[in-house]
Amino acid sequence: MTTPLRGWARRRLLLGAGQVAAVPVLVFVLTEALPGDAAVTIAGDDPDPARIAAIRAALRLDRPAVERFADWAGELAHGELGRSLVSGRPVAGYLADGLAPTLLLASLTLTLLVPTAVGLGMLAARREGGALDRAISTVTLGVYAVPEFALGVLLTAVFALRLGWLPPTAVGGIGAQPAALVLPVVVLLARPVCSIARLVRAGLVDAMAAPYAVHALRCGVPPARVRWTHALPNALGPATQQLARTADWLLCGVIVAEALFVIPGLGTVLLDAVAARDVPVVQGLAVLFGTVTVLLNLAADLATRRLAPRTELAV
């Protein structure tokens, strides 16, 4: 017999599968609307119209959009992302080149994000309205208001250029100077830590004021046990969904950080592909980012339902 939770999970998985299938369609439509022409870029300065036409024919850019989408969708179905218009390399090769630095940057950020944000939220919630609560709330609100790019420029100017404590860029490779990751990770951590800490704080305050927590305290259950065992799982429901949205945001934030600190990751690959009008590379990265976004939100919904079964989620 199917339980309500299993039925909800099955419907949510089907919805996620439909969203994943819709990603390539949306990506193709949006990339078709991009300005510029790869054939003109490849032809160089002051190109001959006949040469541009020949390049478009060689790259099959003169075919109708429907035919090009059908070919591309067929390649996707076989696990292929196409080939670069500029270099002729498989798009998967570009992804492989930039994946390691991006994964390292994102994984370091997420690894530090969860304990830092949850810890700050719990510290603020322990003494609601106290000096520590007000200090954490004020600092997190102020830091959250600073855009990532402005924060990165400020940190680089102070800690790299003025004090000389850290390298300003990752030119030369991350392996040669691991300290080059410090400033990008701090930039990527700043706003997510603030938002998730405030959510954890608000959720924990509400959970500790709920009837079940109050009754447990009256019965003599230690406050730490009530806070960790009963209140915290309910408080983490909204924070879990925000963590998934943060992971989505990291895909964009990594692009900013990689461009600012010259890290050769997927963000750099995407910026170079857009500049060269290399549509297959842009499409491949967009499909990757879109699919990861759908999967992360699906995992967040499942985790939230598991942590707080009473939470109503969209089906």
Side-chain angles (χ1 to χ4, degrees), residues 2 24 38 67 75 88-89 135 189 197 202 204 215 225 252 255 259 263 293:
T2 302
E67 292 184 12
E75 292 177 346
R89 287 183 59 198
L189 272 176
L204 199 54
H215 181 70
R225 181 177 178 183
C252 299
I255 296 175
I263 298 175
T293 296

Side-chain angles (χ1 to χ4, degrees), residues 205-261:
V205 168
D206 291 343
M208 290 298 291
Y212 69 89
V214 174
H215 181 70
L217 293 172
R218 286 175 180 172
C219 292
V221 179
R225 181 177 178 183
V226 174
R227 184 178 296 109
W228 283 96
T229 307
H230 303 288
L232 185 59
N234 287 287
L236 288 180
T240 301
Q241 290 188 316
Q242 180 63 28
L243 181 62
R245 288 191 288 269
T246 298
D248 297 344
W249 170 86
L250 274 177
L251 297 177
C252 299
V254 161
I255 296 175
V256 175
E258 289 179 356
L260 181 60
F261 296 101

